[in-house]
Every structure is written in structure tokens, then in C-alpha cells.
Amino acid sequence: MLTARYLLRALRFCSSAPCPRHKPSAKLSVRDALGAQNPSGERVKVQGWIRSVRSQKEVLFLHVNDGSSLESLQVVADSSFDSRELAFGSSVEVQGQLIKSPSKRQNVELKAEKIEVIGNCDAKAFPIKYKERHPLEYLRQYPHLRCRTNVLGSILRVRSEATAAIHSFFKDSGFVHIHTPIITSNDCEGAGELFQVEVMEELFKATTVMVLSNCPEDVELCHKFIAPGQKDRLEHMLKNNFLIISYTEAVEILKQASQNFTFTPEWGIDLQTEHEKYLLKHCGNIPVFIINYPSALKPFYMRDNEDGPQHTVAAVDLLVPGVGELFGGSLREERYHVLEQRLARSGLKEAYQWYLDLRRFGSVPHGGFGMGFERYLQCILGVENIKDVMPFPRFTHSCLL
């Protein structure tokens, strides 16, 4: 015991005693290095990917970028550093002195004292080519690599900031973030667009593989399903400076249009993308709220407006230029007897008894909405195709990862 105690003291002394080593170089992002004011030769370390290589007789120029800035940091090195490993796409760590650049093209540059190649890259095989502006369609073939480009790297960083800002807003407003189930037995939107999860053991004996098949019409509660999406229960929807029209008014505008639609506008049918685009154009290309949709078009939980033969519910969609529908929301039916009768008529009362319980035990009038986050990114970034704001998009004939 005594020996162990002295050993622990010795270890504590060793861990707290200063080590006789040189002061390590300060690690900087490319963005911070480029933003350095009056650099005076301080030693720094920068990590990133090589964006260009230019070798002269006595000097080697590299441009290195870590994604923190659209502009790359110029690295100047002695020609002795030149090697085949310093190629476009390779990841490197550069240590040296950050100095003021004599060139007017950049304010600072890094005078390299040590260059270490962390990961080699075969530039010829690398699908992202030097000095080429690849179309977004081409980059979709490489979802695992396209973030190395400026445009996709920027989109993903905006996506991250937007996610953080939204979470921060609701947290500061007193909301609680929860994770609703991805695999669930409930048809959350009432649309029936579900997939049954089955297990195929005949083809793969060693592993259990999940596959998707068409959902049977007689949905049983014991089955588990993947729902296409779930609306968060969030409050406070309408704000000023938007145009608000009813669904009925929207249909009348469409009926009077001189444009021929693929889907003929009629009261009681859902608004298609072509209808939404026309309505936005007709209203002056400003955000438009459409309220009071037919009950038959919406899930069972939306509040009945009790408006006679039309029978609408207190639902709202927000249309924005360039995207179409961005938000969808509604007041929820808080009246137990109304909800009970509706579920009984549709034969869903037993399956949704849990939902009725929410109304039996201390319910309050409330509403909620859901936002298409990728559509929101499209809106603020002006990106035409929604696939290009997703880190790993899946679409017809493409599930690469």
C-alpha cells in the first residue's frame, strides 16, 4: 500500500512537471490564417487538402484548403519539398511561418518548414478534377466526395448553421426537443403512404435483412411500419407581411386562369406543384398562406371548422417562390367527442385509442406545423434541385451509399 502511494505521488509530479520541449506551433484553420492581422512570422500549423500545386525551379507553391474558407491558403516551400505525393486532393499538414505575402493576390502566405502528407490521392483516378467546374448532376454520383468542392461544402455548412439556429430558437422559446420513432405502427399523416417491414431469411441465412414491400390495405396494429414523416407539435404559426387566401379562393383563381393545367383544378382535389407555382406568380411572387382545406384531404387529427356542406378543417400551408409548399400545419382537434366520432366512422377508434387518451386526460387547444428542412435550404440558398442540399440523397435508380 505504501509503495503504491509513493508511486501515485511520483506519477502526479511527472504529469505536472514542465517538459523540456519547444513550444508547439499554433494550429490554425485556413480561415483564421487568412484573417490574421499583421503576421510577423509566428509559427503555425495548418491542415487541409491540396487544391493546386505549382512547382518552379527553386520554389514550390501549394494552395491548401480545409473547407473553412472559400479562399485557399498559399503555401510557399523550397523546391526540395517537391514530391509525387504532393498532388491535387492529397491531405497535408504544413508547419511554418505565417508571413505577409509580397503578392497582391493574397494578404498572407505560409512559409513552409515542414510538409507532411497525411493521405495520398491519385489525382488521375480522383473523380473531382483540378480546375474543372463539375455540374451538380455529375457530383451527385459521388455523394461521399462532393463535399470536397466549394459549392457542396458551403451548402453543408449553411445546413449545419440553419439546423443549429432552428434548434436554438425553439430552445430559447421554451420548447423541448424529442425524438419520435422512425419505425412506428401509426399512419401519422393519414395518407397511407407506408411500407411494411419484413424479414427475408431465405436469401440470407447468416444475417437478417430488412426489405420493403407494399403495405396491405388491411393494416394491422401488430405490424410495424416506416412512416414518410411526422409533424412536430409546434405552436405559433401565422405572422404578418404574408398574403393569406383560403383553399376555396385558390381553386377559384386556378379555374379562372388562362393556363392549361395537367391536373384540372376542382374543389376537393389536392393542389399540385403546377397549381402552387401559378398561385405564387398570380399573387406577385411573395409567400402565400393557404388556409381551410377540405377535410377529406387532411389527416384525421385536424380541427373541424364546422362550416356546413364544404366541411373544411383549420389547416394551413405556406407556399414560397421557387420551392412551392414549405410549411404545413393545423389546429389539432382537441374535442374528445368530435375526434371519437371521426375515428369510429373510419374504423380506426381501436387502433388510435392512445390518441383519444391524449384528449381524455387534460388536453388543451393547440396546433402544430412541420417544415420541409431541405426545401427551406432551397429557399434561402436558391438551389434548384433538392438533391443538392442533402448530404446523401436517395432518388430513383440511385442509392449509392
Side-chain angles (χ1 to χ4, degrees):
M1 177 66 75
L2 188 62
T3 304
R5 187 176 300 169
Y6 280 115
L7 180 61
L8 285 173
R9 287 181 181 177
L11 287 173
R12 290 194 186 102
F13 174 79
C14 290
S15 62
S16 60
C19 298
R21 67 175 94 178
H22 297 292
K23 183 179 180 181
S25 301
K27 182 181 175 182
L28 291 182
S29 67
V30 168
R31 180 181 178 181
D32 290 340
L34 291 171
Q37 301 294 326
N38 302 319
S40 55
E42 58 269 26
R43 282 180 168 77
V44 300
K45 176 170 62 178
V46 172
Q47 299 169 330
W49 288 273
I50 296 176
R51 289 290 179 88
S52 71
V53 182
R54 183 161 52 93
S55 180
Q56 296 182 356
K57 186 176 181 179
E58 297 181 354
V59 183
L60 174 68
F61 294 97
L62 302 177
H63 281 92
V64 176
N65 198 300
D66 60 359
S68 62
S69 169
L70 293 178
E71 184 183 354
S72 298
L73 175 65
Q74 177 168 282
V75 176
V76 182
D78 187 87
S79 58
S80 60
F81 282 100
D82 197 6
S83 73
R84 292 184 179 180
E85 292 183 337
L86 293 177
F88 172 71
S90 295
S91 58
V92 294
E93 178 180 282
V94 183
Q95 297 186 47
Q97 293 178 291
L98 193 64
I99 61 174
K100 186 171 179 61
S101 175
S103 173
K104 294 181 179 179
R105 295 183 179 181
Q106 61 270 331
N107 294 324
V108 298
E109 61 186 26
L110 182 57
K111 185 178 179 181
E113 297 173 347
K114 179 182 178 182
I115 301 178
E116 181 182 358
V117 177
I118 306 299
N120 294 323
C121 178
D122 183 349
K124 292 182 178 180
F126 191 35
I128 300 172
K129 302 303 180 184
Y130 174 56
K131 283 190 176 179
E132 284 192 31
R133 294 180 63 87
H134 297 292
L136 293 176
E137 293 82 359
Y138 171 81
L139 293 175
R140 284 180 211 140
Q141 302 174 71
Y142 308 99
H144 53 303
L145 296 173
R146 65 179 187 166
C147 59
R148 299 266 289 274
T149 65
N150 275 344
V151 61
L152 266 300
S154 298
I155 288 174
L156 292 179
R157 279 169 173 75
V158 172
R159 181 187 177 99
S160 175
E161 290 297 322
T163 302
I166 290 170
H167 279 263
S168 177
F169 170 81
F170 285 111
K171 183 177 183 297
D172 293 344
S173 300
F175 288 85
V176 176
H177 182 213
I178 64 168
H179 294 276
T180 52
I182 297 175
I183 298 180
T184 174
S185 60
N186 300 303
D187 179 355
C188 301
E189 298 299 323
E193 298 173 357
L194 306 173
F195 299 95
Q196 182 176 347
V197 177
E198 296 179 346
V199 176
M200 291 187 66
E201 296 181 348
E202 294 81 5
L203 296 179
F204 301 93
K205 298 295 184 182
T207 31
T208 301
V209 180
M210 282 187 167
V211 296
L212 301 178
S213 65
N214 290 330
C215 178
E217 293 182 0
D218 53 338
V219 178
E220 297 180 4
L221 186 61
C222 61
H223 287 156
K224 298 299 179 187
F225 298 90
I226 297 176
Q230 299 189 35
K231 285 183 167 55
D232 294 330
R233 292 193 171 5
L234 305 173
E235 297 179 351
H236 191 65
M237 177 66 180
L238 298 178
K239 290 185 178 291
N240 297 326
N241 301 322
F242 290 88
L243 182 61
I244 301 176
I245 62 175
S246 69
Y247 167 87
T248 302
E249 291 170 328
V251 171
E252 288 303 315
I253 292 172
L254 294 170
K255 283 184 175 181
Q256 296 172 18
S258 57
Q259 178 177 329
N260 292 323
F261 297 105
T262 303
F263 297 92
T264 303
E266 294 290 344
W267 201 97
I269 69 166
D270 209 352
L271 298 180
Q272 304 297 318
T273 301
E274 59 178 344
H275 302 150
E276 295 172 349
K277 288 182 177 179
Y278 180 85
L279 290 169
L280 286 164
K281 183 179 179 181
H282 175 83
C283 296
N285 282 320
I286 63 172
V288 177
F289 282 108
I290 300 180
I291 62 174
N292 299 335
Y293 279 80
S295 174
L297 296 179
K298 296 298 181 180
F300 69 92
Y301 52 73
M302 293 192 176
R303 199 179 200 281
D304 195 333
N305 283 330
E306 299 178 299
D307 51 357
Q310 283 191 324
H311 197 194
T312 65
V313 290
V316 58
D317 285 346
L318 172 61
L319 311 183
V320 296
V323 174
E325 182 186 339
L326 178 59
F327 285 87
S330 73
L331 295 180
R332 307 315 198 213
E333 184 59 80
E334 85 283 359
R335 297 166 295 184
Y336 178 85
H337 68 283
V338 175
L339 195 57
E340 182 185 35
Q341 292 172 6
R342 187 181 299 169
L343 289 172
R345 287 195 301 268
S346 60
L348 296 174
K349 182 178 178 181
E350 183 177 351
Y352 284 91
Q353 184 58 50
W354 66 272
Y355 199 88
L356 287 172
D357 284 349
L358 296 175
R359 302 300 182 265
R360 289 174 61 198
F361 305 119
S363 180
V364 296
H366 63 283
F369 70 89
M371 178 184 74
F373 183 65
E374 278 74 25
R375 294 186 180 190
Y376 167 69
L377 292 173
Q378 272 189 281
C379 180
I380 63 175
L381 291 171
V383 174
E384 183 176 350
N385 197 310
I386 197 169
K387 302 180 187 71
D388 297 320
V389 296
M390 298 180 183
F392 302 99
R394 271 82 167 163
F395 49 97
T396 307
H397 307 304
S398 178
C399 187
L400 297 178
L401 297 177

